[in-house]
Amino acid sequence: MLRHLLSGDLPRSHALGAVLMIVLVALAGAPFLFPGSQSLNVAAKICVFIVLAASYDLLLGYTGIVSFAHTMFYGIGGYGIAIAMHGISATWGAMGIGIALALLASLILAVIIGLFSLRVRAIFFAMITLAVASAFAVLASQLRDITGGEDGRSYSVPMVLRPSFRLFDEPVLGVSITGRMLSYYIVFFSSLLLFLAALRIVNSPFGRVLQAIRENEFRAEALGYRVVVYRTVASVLSAAMATLAGALMALWLRYTGPDTTLSFAIMIDILLMVVIGGMGTLYGAVLGAVIFILAQNYLQLVMAKLSAATSGIPLLPQLLHPDRWLLWLGILFVLSVYFFPTGIVGRLRAGRR
Amino acid sequence: MTDLKQIDWVPLGLIIGMALLALPLVGDPAAWLTLTAAGLAMGMMIFVMSSGLTLVFGLMDVINFGHGVFISIGAYVALLVFVPLAAWGAADSLVLNLSLVGLAILVATAATGALGYAFERVVIRPVYGQHLKQILITTGGLIVAEQLIHALWGANPIPLRLPETLRGSFLIGDAAVERFRVFAIVLGLAVFAAMYIGLNRTRIGLLIRAGVENREMVEALGYDIRKIFIGVFVAGSALAGLGGVLWALYRQILVASMGMEMMVLIFIAIIIGGLGSVGGCFAGSILLALLANYTGFLMPKLAPVSNILLMLAILVWRPQGLYPVAKR
């Protein structure tokens, strides 16, 4: 049963299995285990970024292509929800239309970019996606009438998802079931479903072909697989998943703006998550996203203490300043690429032997 | 390449044609002159920043996604000259002002060149021939270096005042052309001329060009292409630093991400030009900047996508770029 759910791709390491179990339980019970809006926010972010990182790993880790346009698709999902909910109405129907149109837009863009630039080498694709994504970001902040420009759009969600909504009159397990909690569970279960779907994809015959292309493009081509077609389909699937992740995030935040969806900073975040967690295994995306989001939210507290403790020494306090948390993750990223390209998951799995 | 008849004039004609086409569309000749000068200045800056990158790629198949950080570092290192010698910049003397800028450029290029040497040794060398890792590693280097700039110079934007005699504009008829833009154009042309002569009239330039065309053959003839490559990498990094000083003087405000924000234009310029071609990079940069300026004036809504459309159009016309380099 479990094997079937995970598409035969088991953690293959006791430590990894245990960590994944803890993550699953913590996320599933987050509203009860860690009450409070900030921790719930962190949990929801982790869910969404697991999906986002997993969809990126489908490209980077499994197909071996670097795209810098992943946040564009993530943003399209967010703006799909934003424009529909703001422009039509705060109903489930509008939400459906928004998601459907966003998926369609992502699909078209991904196919165009793919067919245009995946024929040539990895470097070309990376540069072209970077250019397209940045043009898209500028466009989104310029088309004020549609997107709300730099300010973005805030909007309402359907009644049952609003914080003021109560499912029951009485609290359950000491926590009252609010619309916020229902939103969280929509995010959680959708993310879980998307993650399992991604596992299904990479462990299908199609996924095997992607890995073959990653390992040796010419050989795969010689065996009769149309490399361009496979790469394009992979980038379309990955784009669709990123779009859905963007829609989930929009639903959770009830706000969509260029900084939270389209910025290059988020692209860097995703890259860090996938590489630190481990490329070429979707569990790496899980660990990467969990570690990164936790670091983003809590590492700064630790660093503030360290910075204060080292205040007499030159330079060290600046390096340990809470705002420099990305410096340390960046160093970890570089070291990961050199010394353990399979990331944390690879380490855990190797440790078993 | 040395013979004028061998030069492909079509892309250059394209630039002139575009400028001439824009004249009736803009209507006002004064506005056109201002726009064209601004575009040329921007194009020169893009060229200075991107020429090293395209040669590095052509020679060794190495792509440096962290190239932008050398631009930022160049700008910040220049502060070490601009801040203590602020009096030179405030003086109303062309000689003092230019020697200030010259000194800043010298210090910035020396620093970024040295850093380029270290970067090549430590970061790039272990990942020769592995594109995926190159992209990841150099992006990682970019993140770390940007954060280090924040740690060393603080996270707030730093204002930079243009030296006195470079402020204001020249009046040509009704058209106002900013003095700094003229300065940037002159400097950019000087860099291009130096590179052109260096590549076409010197022995080392001959080896570089041969290496871009066919690396194995040059190696087979007994030259150590790695040494040449390191030299090119250092020169490319120094040029990025020079571009950083210009870009800082143009923006007049420094932020750590200022180099990264240029990377998109730089990549488009070298793709348009043909990866590995310096002349193509020059033509591509100017084409890109002119088009951006004209569309920004004529159709502001279209401006953000004008680069992409230009790139698409050029790649449909010449899939290998304006000046294709053999074997790519």
Side-chain angles (χ1 to χ4, degrees):
Chain A
M1 170 66 184
L2 184 67
R3 179 177 287 274
H4 202 70
L5 261 183
L6 299 180
S7 312
D9 190 357
L10 297 174
R12 299 209 310 276
S13 146
H14 291 304
L16 178 60
V19 173
L20 289 174
M21 216 45 220
I22 293 169
V23 170
L24 182 67
V25 170
L27 288 178
F32 301 96
L33 296 170
F34 318 102
S37 64
Q38 208 229 334
S39 49
L40 200 59
N41 203 12
V42 170
K45 243 185 132 176
I46 289 178
C47 291
V48 172
F49 272 88
I50 286 176
V51 175
L52 196 56
S55 63
Y56 192 65
D57 196 29
L58 186 61
L59 276 185
L60 180 65
Y62 283 90
T63 322
I65 44 186
V66 186
S67 158
F68 284 98
H70 212 59
T71 44
M72 178 172 79
F73 298 117
Y74 178 64
I76 289 175
Y79 276 105
I81 293 272
I83 293 166
M85 304 291 253
H86 187 267
I88 307 175
S89 60
T91 56
W92 296 100
M95 194 190 293
I97 295 173
I99 293 177
L101 289 180
L103 277 175
L104 188 68
S106 289
L107 183 96
I108 294 171
L109 265 173
V111 168
I112 293 176
I113 298 177
L115 287 182
F116 196 77
S117 50
L118 281 173
R119 296 177 177 281
V120 282
R121 304 180 315 163
I123 278 180
F124 234 53
F125 187 72
M127 291 195 279
I128 286 180
T129 50
L130 183 68
V132 171
S134 79
F136 188 86
V138 177
L139 209 59
S141 55
Q142 287 213 340
L143 299 175
R144 287 195 65 87
D145 304 339
I146 305 172
T147 61
E150 287 290 332
D151 301 332
R153 285 264 188 252
S154 297
Y155 37 87
S156 310
V157 286
M159 195 60 212
V160 289
L161 300 181
R162 290 178 196 170
S164 53
F165 176 80
R166 295 280 179 282
L167 188 61
F168 306 112
D169 292 336
E170 298 298 315
V172 180
L173 299 170
V175 185
S176 52
I177 309 291
T178 63
R180 204 75 189 126
M181 205 184 279
L182 292 179
S183 303
Y184 176 76
Y185 278 109
I186 289 184
V187 170
F188 172 75
F189 283 110
S190 311
S191 302
L192 188 63
L193 216 62
L194 282 169
F195 182 76
L196 292 177
L199 267 182
R200 184 66 260 169
I201 292 170
V202 297
N203 290 295
S204 67
F206 171 77
R208 293 280 179 269
V209 177
L210 292 186
Q211 290 168 58
I213 293 172
R214 176 191 68 192
E215 293 304 327
N216 193 332
E217 184 184 334
F218 297 110
R219 200 161 177 182
E221 186 91 49
L223 287 171
Y225 296 107
R226 300 272 306 273
V227 169
V228 182
V229 174
Y230 275 90
R231 280 185 173 161
T232 307
V233 172
S235 75
V236 166
L237 285 173
S238 156
M241 253 179 97
T243 308
L244 291 175
L248 286 177
M249 198 57 168
L251 208 58
W252 173 254
L253 289 178
R254 291 169 291 164
Y255 163 80
T256 303
D259 288 345
T260 55
T261 54
L262 294 170
S263 71
F264 187 69
I266 298 181
M267 192 61 246
I268 294 282
D269 293 353
I270 302 172
L271 205 57
L272 288 171
M273 288 176 200
V274 172
V275 171
I276 292 175
M279 287 182 278
T281 145
L282 291 183
Y283 298 119
V286 177
L287 295 197
V290 170
I291 291 169
F292 189 89
I293 303 279
L294 287 181
Q296 196 175 34
N297 286 280
Y298 301 109
L299 182 64
Q300 303 188 11
L301 301 176
V302 181
M303 288 180 63
K305 289 218 177 78
L306 286 174
S307 181
T310 54
S311 58
I313 309 161
L315 196 61
L316 211 54
Q318 278 100 305
L319 294 179
L320 290 169
H321 188 276
D323 289 346
R324 297 287 81 76
W325 64 280
L326 196 56
L327 171 70
W328 299 99
L329 284 183
I331 292 174
L332 184 60
F333 171 87
V334 173
L335 294 179
S336 299
V337 179
Y338 279 139
F339 299 114
F340 47 115
T342 47
I344 295 174
V345 167
R347 281 278 112 163
L348 287 177
R349 280 181 172 167
R352 196 179 58 142
R353 263 171 250 129
Chain B
M1 198 164 170
T2 48
D3 188 359
L4 284 184
K5 275 190 191 146
Q6 283 176 11
I7 297 179
D8 181 1
W9 291 100
V10 179
L12 298 176
L14 197 66
I15 297 175
I16 296 165
M18 187 204 277
L20 290 181
L21 182 70
L23 182 56
L25 289 176
V26 173
D28 178 15
W32 176 81
L33 190 61
T34 307
L35 284 174
T36 308
L40 283 177
M42 192 69 204
M44 294 296 174
M45 284 195 272
I46 299 174
F47 165 70
V48 170
M49 294 183 222
S50 54
S51 51
L53 196 62
T54 201
L55 262 188
V56 161
F57 181 81
L59 200 59
M60 216 60 180
D61 224 15
V62 165
I63 196 78
N64 181 6
F65 267 73
H67 189 73
V69 94
F70 288 100
I71 298 170
S72 305
I73 290 174
Y76 274 85
V77 168
L79 278 183
L80 300 178
V81 174
F82 281 122
V83 173
L85 295 180
W88 289 19
D92 192 14
S93 144
L94 188 63
V95 178
L96 268 185
N97 288 173
L98 286 186
S99 38
L100 174 69
V101 175
L103 193 63
I105 287 174
L106 207 66
V107 172
T109 49
T112 47
L115 210 65
Y117 183 75
F119 198 75
E120 200 278 337
R121 275 281 155 111
V122 179
V123 178
I124 308 262
R125 182 153 306 180
V127 289
Y128 271 143
Q130 298 164 279
H131 280 166
L132 190 80
K133 278 196 170 182
Q134 276 169 18
I135 297 174
L136 294 178
I137 279 288
T138 52
T139 308
L142 168 88
I143 301 168
V144 173
E146 259 190 35
Q147 292 294 320
L148 282 176
I149 291 179
H150 280 310
L152 293 172
W153 277 280
N156 295 326
I158 301 175
L160 175 68
R161 205 179 144 77
L162 255 181
E164 211 50 46
T165 46
L166 292 177
R167 305 175 73 80
S169 314
F170 293 117
L171 278 176
I172 304 172
D174 292 337
V177 176
E178 281 181 38
R179 290 178 185 196
F180 178 70
R181 290 187 171 150
V182 177
F183 175 74
I185 294 173
V186 172
L187 199 65
L189 280 177
V191 170
F192 178 65
M195 277 184 94
Y196 190 84
I197 293 169
L199 283 173
N200 287 300
R201 294 275 190 273
T202 66
R203 188 167 177 74
I204 189 84
L206 183 74
L207 286 175
I208 293 173
R209 279 187 298 132
V212 171
E213 294 282 336
N214 193 335
R215 181 166 76 225
E216 288 81 5
M217 186 59 86
V218 177
E219 279 174 331
L221 290 172
Y223 295 100
D224 188 354
I225 201 106
R226 292 230 164 170
K227 276 198 187 123
I228 301 172
F229 173 72
I230 292 171
V232 170
F233 196 90
V234 168
S237 308
L239 279 174
L242 167 61
V245 179
L246 289 178
W247 183 226
L249 287 170
Y250 180 81
R251 296 176 99 235
Q252 303 187 22
I253 189 131
L254 275 71
V255 292
S257 61
M258 60 187 279
M260 191 52 220
E261 65 196 36
M262 288 304 288
M263 282 314 280
V264 171
L265 288 176
I266 291 174
F267 281 143
I268 296 178
I270 65 177
I271 291 175
I272 290 179
L275 290 171
S277 159
V278 172
C281 167
F282 184 72
S285 305
I286 290 177
L287 207 56
L288 191 65
L290 279 180
L291 183 72
N293 265 305
Y294 295 141
T295 47
F297 181 81
L298 296 168
M299 293 168 280
K301 289 266 180 213
L302 201 66
V305 287
S306 73
N307 319 330
I308 305 284
L309 294 180
L310 177 70
M311 179 170 74
L312 283 178
I314 299 245
L315 289 183
V316 168
W317 175 45
R318 288 190 175 177
Q320 304 291 312
L322 290 175
Y323 290 101
V325 172
K327 92 179 167 161
R328 281 173 217 292

